[in-house]
Amino acid sequence: MASAIIVFSHLRWDFVYQRPQHLLSRLAKHFPIVIVEEPVYDEHETRMKTYSPAPNILVCQPHTPVNMPGFHDDQLPHLQKLLRQLVRDYDDHMAWFYTPMALPLLQELHPRLVVYDCMDELASFKNAPKQLLQRESALLKVADLVFTGGQSLYRSKRDRHPNVHCFPSSVDSAHFIQALDRTNSHPAHKDIPGPRLGFYGVIDERFDARLVEQLADAHPMWQIVLVGPVVKIDPSLLPQRANIHYLGQQPYEALPQFLAGWDVCLLPFALNESTRYISPTKTLEYMAAELPIVSTPVTDVADAYSDIVAIADDPKAFIAACEAALLASPDQHAEKVAKMRRVLASTSWDTTAEKMRALLDSVPRRTDRTTPAMAPADPAIAAASNVNRLPVQDNARFARTAIIGAGPTGLSAAYHLGHDAVLLEKGDMVGGWCRSIRQDGFTFDHAGHIMFSNDPYVRDMYDLLLGSNVHWQDREAWVYSKNVYTRYPFQGALYGLPPEVVKECILGAVEARYGASAEQAVAPAPARAGEAADGAGTGAANVAALETRAPENFEEFIYQVWGTGIAKHFAIPYNRKLWAVPLNQMETSWLGGRVPLPDLEQILDGALQPVAKPLGPNARFGYPLRGGFQALMSAFVPHIKGTIELNAEVVGVSPRQRTLTLADGRRYQYENLISTMPLPLLVQMIGDEAPQEVRDAAADLKHVSVRCVNLGVARENITDKHWIYYPEDSIFHRIFVQGNASPECNPPGGFGLTCEISYSAEWKPLPCTGQALIDRCIQDCIKVGILREDDRIVVANEVDMPYAYVIYDHARARNVDVIRSWLQKYDIILAGRYSEWEYYNSDHAFLAGKKAADAVRWQEQKSAVAAE
């Protein structure tokens, strides 16, 4: 049996009969045709409705409970399941795309060929998905054959793929010659007198309604007949005149009858981005009816048929051309008809389909090649760029600047570098740990992320990337301890805690500020993570001893700055829980402006009355309105002019040879390298090329891992808080209230929570994993009052972040310096939290990427000077 052709189409088979129907109905003589249409909303179930409109053609109409248009990302899990079942019946198949938006579904296929029949520049159409250009770039990377529906499209694609073929829209002459019987006019014309000037086709943003209005007003006795569905525009905005007749969508079989009753055929297209590349199928169909044609200067019509079609640049010229067509002499008309017949004699849909079939047969099948094709993963990217999800066939490539890792730093570096960057990301989407996942209408980030920055450049980037897709809000961050909620930061909002706790905290703060008695001793050695916090009596003793010197470690910092009460009741237990290492092993250079440091007066005020105003650098923050924090990351993609390679895992780095080796066997030769991967992993990739001292330093770098348990709860508005810190007995140290980051993160009737659990193999292993960890989080959520016993959990999943927080131990600075100094000899630029081994927020990451791009330019200038 011949290979089936599995077609992904944005157009429905029973919509306007056009290029896909013409081609596929003819190819069905040689191949089974399976057409997968865009899904239809069905609130009850996921199912595949099928029907056969013609021999050897099966139309598949997915029905899903996702009320989102087209091949939207939210549809993909349902469509993947349906497609997986469908392809079982078609082991030998080709994939044929009319819309790049369906590209993620390719991962469910094992096609012998991939074909892209580009009939329109869909990205220029109204309401086009933001991902469309990006997915088209990826489709052009993986396609074996590319067809275009006109010369303009061909010119725009020919340099983007090595195997592009122009197949302009053709004609079924035998069908439209029926219009030559002028007595066979459609019954709809019965009450419409002549002369009739007609147009059929989709009436959308490509249709110049103002031109038609002016045409109707110029000659009220002319009758303008418009046949076709109104799509994407408000019908009430179309011109309403007594001599304009909207007849709606009509069957393909009836079109010759409409032509038979017309005196002039119109191509009244607006000149905008949506018509820049169009090649109207109806042009040749009008010619088959041998009627005068008047068109606006659409490129493919004007370039090919200006000797046949009257081309009018403005409304006045268009009206004049229609007048001339109606007044043309028989000889003038006969001259045009002769030219029409010569054009029609050289083309037909049958000929086009046969030429396409010959190309399908001539291209080597993927199973015959040495390198198998890999399917793209599901992208959640919100915009457009040159993204390649699939490994290309060649084994060696060159990158002027290679960037490892498409987290916020790598994205920023690629954005600031421009065309010369190749961004390599091992995952199937950009974002690093700033990614988001969606499940059953819930959006969850990889741990909690927010937007805040005092840097005007970063704030301008937020505006550039997200535009209106952002909302700013006052932070509602709280601490849950002693069975009550107090505002974050704990030390500035003691009001509401038990009186004895408030007293200890204030006395400790006073002692930390003004000193304690000389008899007090130095603080005891810290407990291991997970053990009970120090008692107030012994913990208080360190304050006076620390007065005369700077704190030597993080634990001393806590006692010296806040005092023993705050240390005992929050700072020590919480930070041990978070950092998962003894706090005396951490130094304090990383604190910077991250820890709010209220003075004694603020502590007293916060103890005597509720604190209304949030404190700290993120007291007001932003978050994407739609798409989770992923939206901020994906928004980089359309602005990146270089190449993004997804599913491109770097497994080897040779600084001496300036090469990168990928997991799929490909190699990149680079001039410049920016690494954002964790520093220990980078040294591991370099292997024996790195000196032992460098490898030892990398092995000594410490970090904290985080496991997130995401819970989707079947109850709305569980809390008004954004995140909550838990210093006491719960498995999680923080809950990020995903449902309040943006209302779009929740489905109707639901609310999302993310429980964050830090762990360390040495000091604080995870007590359990999988369902046991999820169950533990649910029980602890009930224990701390965030959930109720009767709450129904509709979504529960885990996200693991092996590298989450960098540990600032006392050896960190020296170890990083050893590694960085050696890498600098080979011009390797370290950028971002994990490569610089710094505590960076996402705004710092944006700036780190810019700084890395500047460093590349400086290296290039240095090399240029040296060469001179």
Side-chain angles (χ1 to χ4, degrees):
M1 184 177 181
S3 295
I5 301 179
I6 299 178
V7 181
F8 297 96
S9 178
H10 59 295
L11 299 170
R12 303 214 178 276
W13 186 271
D14 59 1
F15 189 53
V16 174
Y17 200 88
Q18 50 190 307
R19 181 184 181 93
Q21 292 92 328
H22 280 296
L23 289 174
L24 297 173
S25 61
R26 288 163 172 81
L27 290 172
K29 298 174 184 176
H30 310 283
F31 310 97
I33 306 293
V34 181
I35 300 163
V36 180
E37 295 184 344
E38 291 183 338
V40 175
Y41 176 63
D42 185 332
E43 63 177 333
H44 299 296
E45 61 178 333
T46 297
R47 60 189 175 90
M48 187 75 87
K49 176 184 175 182
T50 62
Y51 68 96
S52 179
N56 221 20
I57 295 177
L58 180 69
V59 176
C60 302
Q61 193 176 80
H63 288 237
T64 77
V66 177
N67 193 15
M68 299 299 288
F71 293 99
H72 189 277
D73 288 343
D74 290 357
Q75 300 279 9
L76 296 178
H78 300 274
L79 298 179
Q80 287 165 340
K81 176 182 176 182
L82 293 173
L83 191 61
R84 203 172 297 136
Q85 297 168 348
L86 177 68
V87 298
R88 291 173 184 169
D89 297 328
Y90 303 95
D91 288 338
D92 186 5
H93 57 261
M94 295 175 270
W96 183 298
F97 288 88
Y98 278 107
T99 171
M101 287 302 296
L103 180 61
L105 297 175
L106 189 59
Q107 66 182 320
E108 302 302 331
L109 308 182
H110 300 284
R112 299 180 66 182
L113 286 178
V114 176
V115 179
Y116 177 26
D117 187 14
C118 180
M119 61 179 286
D120 284 304
E121 192 66 80
L122 297 177
S124 300
F125 284 16
K126 188 175 182 179
N127 303 326
K130 291 182 179 180
Q131 305 101 314
L132 204 150
L133 280 175
Q134 169 265 316
R135 290 193 186 169
E136 184 185 59
S137 294
L139 179 54
L140 287 169
K141 298 266 186 177
V142 71
D144 301 289
L145 273 172
V146 177
F147 304 140
T148 67
Q151 286 292 338
S152 294
L153 279 171
Y154 174 72
R155 288 191 291 269
S156 74
K157 309 300 178 190
R158 64 186 175 187
D159 294 331
R160 301 178 63 190
H161 192 279
N163 201 9
V164 182
H165 302 267
C166 183
F167 287 107
S169 294
S170 195
V171 63
D172 181 357
S173 295
H175 181 63
F176 286 95
I177 282 175
Q178 298 176 72
L180 297 179
D181 180 2
R182 306 300 193 208
T183 65
N184 190 29
S185 178
H186 195 279
H189 292 147
K190 179 180 178 183
D191 298 322
I192 302 175
R196 304 186 192 102
L197 292 79
F199 165 86
Y200 62 73
V202 179
I203 299 174
D204 56 16
E205 73 273 19
R206 295 169 294 177
F207 181 80
D208 193 337
R210 175 63 179 152
L211 173 62
V212 170
E213 182 180 52
Q214 292 173 284
L215 181 65
D217 290 343
H219 290 279
M221 298 303 294
W222 291 359
Q223 306 301 312
I224 314 300
V225 180
L226 304 175
V227 174
V230 178
V231 176
K232 294 187 290 186
I233 58 176
D234 186 349
S236 66
L237 299 179
L238 294 172
Q240 304 297 319
R241 299 288 189 276
N243 62 333
I244 300 179
H245 309 274
Y246 297 96
L247 302 186
Q249 183 172 346
Q250 300 290 336
Y252 176 71
E253 292 74 18
L255 295 184
Q257 290 181 284
F258 282 101
L259 290 170
W262 293 351
D263 299 285
V264 177
C265 294
L266 305 177
L267 294 173
F269 289 107
L271 299 182
N272 54 36
E273 278 300 306
S274 67
T275 59
R276 183 179 175 187
Y277 299 104
I278 64 170
S279 180
T281 304
K282 61 187 65 61
T283 308
L284 295 180
E285 296 170 352
Y286 287 172
M287 289 186 193
E290 299 184 356
L291 288 168
I293 306 168
V294 179
S295 176
T296 54
V298 176
T299 300
D300 278 13
V301 176
D303 287 354
Y305 308 122
S306 59
D307 60 333
I308 298 173
V309 178
I311 306 298
D313 291 336
D314 56 40
K316 183 178 179 180
F318 197 93
I319 294 167
C322 291
E323 293 170 343
L326 289 169
L327 296 173
S329 68
D331 289 343
Q332 291 173 322
H333 182 63
E335 181 182 354
K336 289 282 181 73
V337 168
K339 293 178 180 179
M340 292 178 183
R341 291 174 179 174
R342 284 196 292 270
V343 169
L344 296 175
S346 64
T347 184
S348 71
W349 284 117
D350 290 335
T351 300
T352 300
E354 280 303 307
K355 289 180 179 178
M356 286 182 170
R357 184 170 77 93
L359 286 169
L360 294 178
D361 291 339
S362 68
V363 174
R365 297 301 193 250
R366 289 170 177 258
T367 51
D368 300 331
R369 302 176 199 168
T370 57
T371 305
M374 292 177 61
D378 173 11
I381 302 176
S385 185
N386 186 20
V387 177
N388 179 20
R389 289 187 165 69
L390 311 174
V392 292
Q393 305 302 324
D394 56 326
N395 189 48
R397 303 188 72 185
F398 173 77
R400 185 170 179 182
T401 300
I403 305 170
I404 303 176
T409 303
L411 289 166
S412 175
Y415 164 75
H416 286 99
L417 274 170
H419 291 284
D420 295 330
V422 175
L423 182 56
L424 302 171
E425 167 56 42
K426 71 176 182 179
D428 60 0
M429 66 177 72
V430 301
W433 291 144
C434 290
R435 286 174 295 167
S436 306
I437 58 174
R438 288 185 62 83
Q439 183 176 347
D440 296 340
F442 290 94
T443 297
F444 298 106
D445 297 332
H446 283 55
H449 297 290
I450 59 173
M451 297 158 48
F452 67 95
S453 181
N454 293 323
D455 191 297
Y457 186 82
V458 174
R459 293 198 298 270
D460 287 345
M461 287 195 69
Y462 290 156
D463 291 338
L464 170 72
L465 295 171
L466 290 178
S468 61
N469 185 28
V470 65
H471 65 131
W472 294 90
Q473 50 198 316
D474 291 333
R475 182 196 71 211
E476 289 295 333
W478 294 74
V479 178
Y480 183 82
S481 65
K482 319 303 179 190
N483 298 317
V484 297
Y485 285 104
T486 55
R487 276 197 182 276
Y488 172 84
F490 179 90
Q491 61 272 17
L494 301 173
Y495 184 83
L497 289 166
E500 64 275 14
V501 174
V502 176
K503 177 182 176 181
E504 286 185 50
C505 291
I506 292 176
L507 285 177
V510 170
E511 289 174 345
R513 177 73 174 270
Y514 296 108
S517 64
E519 289 80 14
Q520 289 177 316
V522 179
R528 289 171 66 93
E531 295 177 357
D534 297 328
T538 56
N542 73 336
V543 179
L546 296 176
E547 272 189 313
T548 58
R549 61 179 174 84
E552 294 182 356
N553 57 62
F554 186 31
E555 183 163 15
E556 286 188 357
F557 173 90
I558 291 170
Y559 282 111
Q560 183 171 322
V561 173
W562 293 310
T564 56
I566 293 170
K568 170 187 174 182
H569 293 292
F570 176 74
I572 294 294
Y574 178 77
N575 281 290
R576 283 182 180 158
K577 195 175 185 183
L578 168 64
W579 292 106
V581 298
L583 302 183
N584 68 342
Q585 293 191 9
M586 296 177 65
E587 45 100 347
T588 60
S589 65
W590 58 277
L591 291 169
R594 290 183 178 83
V595 179
L597 301 173
D599 59 24
L600 187 58
E601 182 178 349
Q602 289 175 317
I603 292 176
L604 290 171
D605 284 344
L608 295 172
Q609 58 187 342
V611 176
K613 183 180 179 182
L615 301 174
N618 59 6
R620 185 165 178 79
F621 72 94
Y623 189 88
L625 189 62
R626 298 171 299 279
F629 210 73
Q630 177 74 51
L632 180 62
M633 300 296 103
S634 297
F636 270 105
V637 175
H639 298 284
I640 292 175
K641 295 174 180 161
T643 299
I644 304 174
E645 294 271 1
L646 300 182
N647 299 308
E649 182 179 4
V650 175
V651 295
V653 179
S654 174
R656 294 194 181 101
Q657 298 180 20
R658 291 182 181 258
T659 59
L660 303 175
T661 303
L662 306 187
D664 58 26
R666 289 181 297 149
R667 299 175 71 201
Y668 267 95
Q669 188 84 36
Y670 64 82
E671 283 187 5
N672 308 293
L673 177 63
I674 297 173
S675 174
T676 72
M677 71 160 50
L679 196 51
L681 291 185
L682 175 63
V683 175
Q684 181 180 326
M685 301 297 175
I686 293 172
D688 291 342
E689 278 193 36
Q692 188 64 48
E693 180 188 21
V694 171
R695 284 179 277 158
D696 290 343
D700 198 35
L701 294 175
K702 294 180 173 58
H703 67 277
V704 178
S705 304
V706 168
R707 183 73 56 90
C708 294
V709 171
N710 299 312
L711 302 175
V713 187
R715 175 162 61 97
E716 295 181 325
N717 304 318
I718 288 176
T719 177
D720 61 354
K721 298 168 176 59
H722 291 116
W723 60 88
I724 307 162
Y725 300 96
Y726 293 92
E728 297 173 352
D729 186 24
S730 63
I731 193 170
F732 39 78
H733 63 269
R734 186 175 83 150
I735 289 180
F736 181 71
V737 184
Q738 187 74 60
N740 282 337
S742 166
E744 298 288 335
C745 291
N746 303 315
F751 198 82
L753 303 170
T754 295
C755 303
E756 301 175 20
I757 306 142
S758 66
Y759 67 95
S760 162
E762 180 180 1
W763 293 99
K764 185 191 169 191
L766 275 175
C768 51
T769 59
Q771 189 60 46
L773 184 63
I774 292 171
D775 292 343
R776 173 77 179 273
C777 284
I778 294 171
Q779 290 306 310
D780 280 3
C781 282
I782 294 170
K783 182 172 67 175
V784 300
I786 195 76
L787 291 182
R788 302 190 306 230
E789 290 278 0
D790 62 345
D791 275 324
R792 183 166 60 91
I793 307 301
V794 294
V795 167
N797 58 56
E798 288 183 272
V799 170
D800 192 48
M801 302 168 64
Y803 287 86
Y805 296 112
V806 169
I807 295 292
Y808 277 67
D809 64 346
H810 299 288
R812 173 202 152 275
R814 187 196 69 82
N815 287 329
V816 171
D817 186 62
V818 167
I819 301 168
R820 183 190 292 117
S821 297
W822 183 77
L823 293 174
Q824 282 176 345
K825 297 177 182 177
Y826 298 94
D827 296 328
I828 295 177
I829 298 168
L830 304 177
R833 171 185 285 200
Y834 300 113
S835 220
E836 295 182 66
W837 215 245
E838 295 275 4
Y839 190 158
Y840 280 165
N841 295 323
S842 60
D843 60 329
H844 300 135
F846 286 5
L847 295 174
K850 181 179 183 297
K851 180 180 176 182
D854 292 340
V856 167
R857 295 191 185 95
W858 183 84
Q859 284 185 175
E860 290 176 338
Q861 292 171 2
K862 183 177 66 172
S863 299
V865 171
E868 293 175 358

